[in-house]
Amino acid sequence: MNQLLPLDFSNQDLRHRDFQGQDLTGANFSGCDLRGCNFQDAILVEANFRGARIGQCRSKIRTLIARCAGAAIAVTIASAFASFVAGGMAGVAALIGTGVVAVAITNAENEIIAAVLTGTSAVIASSGIISFFSGNIVKALLLFLGSGIIFGLAIILFFQVVIKLEKLSKTSFEDANLTNAIFDEAIISNPVKQL
């Protein structure tokens, strides 16, 4: 069903908005920032995208990296500080406690789990270094192996999140009806390079 009056979104920051399946016939998106918007299956007949910014928005990727780094650093520092002040078992308790709190606060988001695993890996590797210099080579090797496995799992989780965000951060017109839509002077951010 067509809108009674055309929708006017002109000159707005609409990044990452979801317009999937909506009837936006004649809508005015001129001058808008539409990076990361989802227009999949939308009706955009005679919509005006003149001067709109479309394509990929990297702000979510930057936020993801900052959150992961913060969580990994917090877990590592809490564990190292507790180990230094109260000994090894306190460090393990701090590591577990900080990790559990970070995961619980963020509803077990994969990126935070990856960050907690990275912090855990760093703490285990540090213990491996200490064991190595104190002459316990077998223990050091086992700790390095465990640290590497945990770090590998963290990297896999992190890149799964990055791939998902990459898909979500692009303007999508998949299966949209763009009949007579106007894209004059539209700005494409981070376009896919042609080989």
Side-chain angles (χ1 to χ4, degrees), residues 11-31:
N11 300 309
Q12 293 184 41
D13 183 350
L14 300 173
R15 285 180 287 181
H16 304 291
R17 291 273 303 268
D18 188 1
F19 295 101
Q20 182 172 353
Q22 294 184 27
D23 183 350
L24 300 166
T25 300
N28 183 6
F29 291 100
S30 63

Side-chain angles (χ1 to χ4, degrees), residues 21-185:
Q22 294 184 27
D23 183 350
L24 300 166
T25 300
N28 183 6
F29 291 100
S30 63
C32 286
D33 190 344
L34 300 172
R35 292 175 295 167
C37 283
N38 180 12
F39 290 103
Q40 183 176 353
D41 297 315
I43 301 169
L44 296 162
V45 175
E46 297 181 358
N48 180 1
F49 293 96
R50 181 174 279 125
R53 192 167 190 179
I54 59 177
Q56 191 168 34
C57 181
R58 295 239 175 236
S59 63
K60 285 192 172 189
I61 301 292
R62 288 189 289 269
T63 301
L64 167 74
I65 292 169
R67 290 180 69 204
C68 285
I73 290 168
V75 168
T76 305
I77 288 175
S79 178
F81 182 74
S83 291
F84 179 74
V85 171
M89 288 313 292
V92 171
L95 174 72
I96 293 168
T98 308
V100 167
V101 168
V103 170
I105 287 174
T106 59
N107 296 320
E109 294 173 348
N110 281 349
E111 63 266 27
I112 300 302
I113 294 171
V116 168
L117 289 174
T118 301
T120 303
S121 173
V123 170
I124 292 171
S126 299
S127 297
I129 291 169
I130 292 168
S131 295
F132 180 79
F133 285 118
S134 64
N136 194 341
I137 305 298
V138 173
K139 181 179 178 183
L141 290 174
L142 290 174
L143 288 169
F144 289 143
L145 178 64
S147 174
I149 291 170
I150 292 170
F151 187 68
L153 291 172
I155 294 296
I156 290 168
L157 270 177
F158 180 77
F159 280 110
Q160 285 177 343
V161 174
V162 169
I163 290 167
K164 180 181 172 187
L165 282 181
E166 285 282 336
K167 288 180 184 174
L168 295 175
S169 68
K170 297 176 184 169
T171 307
S172 173
F173 290 103
E174 185 178 343
D175 297 323
N177 184 346
L178 294 164
T179 305
N180 296 326
I182 302 166
F183 283 93
D184 297 345
E185 301 171 21

